[in-house]
């Protein structure tokens, strides 16, 4: 750790230490992980399947679905759909499960700083 990094860490607001020790903060982190870890694992598995099928199931991926559209193209486009779906689901999850608790902690942080 450089001296500059150490000095910057020493200057942080001690109120943050108090808030980060609260059970509400631990709950917020837990709720965040409860969504992020499974969503990330699911997306990586889905992407991994796409890559593996592209590498080892060329005949399947080359199969025509409609006209010149093959299975590989459909799987590739579904990667985009999955990305937007996860972003949408995260937004809804965050609005209902994360944001209210984060707002509560933020309000407590600023009310403590004003004293």
């Amino acid at each position: 750790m450089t001296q500059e990094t150490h000095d910057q860490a020493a200057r942080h607001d001690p109120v943050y230490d108090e808030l980060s020790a609260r059970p509400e903060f631990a709950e917020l982190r837990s709720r965040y992980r409860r969504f992020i870890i499974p969503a990330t694992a699911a997306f990586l598995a889905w992407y991994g399947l796409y890559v593996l099928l592209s590498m080892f199931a060329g005949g399947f991926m080359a199969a025509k679905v409609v006209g010149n559209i093959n299975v590989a193209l459909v799987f590739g486009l579904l990667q985009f759909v999955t990305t937007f779906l996860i972003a949408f689901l995260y937004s809804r999850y965050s609005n209902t499960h994360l944001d209210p608790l984060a707002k509560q902690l933020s309000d407590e942080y600023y009310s403590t700083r004003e004293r």
Side-chain angles (χ1 to χ4, degrees):
M1 182 186 298
T2 66
Q3 184 62 35
E4 181 181 338
T5 305
H6 184 270
D7 292 342
Q8 184 179 10
R11 288 192 311 260
H12 80 278
D13 194 339
V15 175
Y16 176 80
D17 292 332
E18 295 170 23
L19 287 174
S20 66
R22 297 184 56 141
E24 292 89 352
F25 189 84
E27 176 63 22
L28 179 63
R29 290 174 54 106
S30 173
R31 288 180 187 182
Y32 174 76
R33 288 182 183 132
R34 207 175 300 149
F35 182 90
I36 291 300
I37 292 171
T40 301
F43 182 79
L44 289 175
W46 166 236
Y47 180 72
L49 175 66
Y50 174 62
V51 171
L52 289 173
L53 286 174
S54 294
M55 290 172 55
F56 299 112
F60 171 70
M61 295 297 269
K64 303 276 184 186
V65 177
V66 175
N68 287 329
I69 299 173
N70 61 16
V71 173
L73 180 60
V74 172
F75 268 53
L77 292 174
L78 286 175
Q79 294 294 318
F80 290 102
V81 172
T82 304
T83 301
F84 289 113
L85 178 64
I86 289 173
F88 172 75
L89 292 174
Y90 176 74
S91 176
R92 284 188 43 203
Y93 182 82
S94 179
N95 287 336
T96 58
H97 295 93
L98 302 177
D99 292 350
L101 190 52
K103 172 116 173 60
Q104 174 191 344
L105 287 168
S106 177
D107 291 346
E108 291 173 13
Y109 172 77
Y110 286 110
S111 69
T112 305
R113 285 186 74 201
E114 292 171 358
R115 292 184 197 161

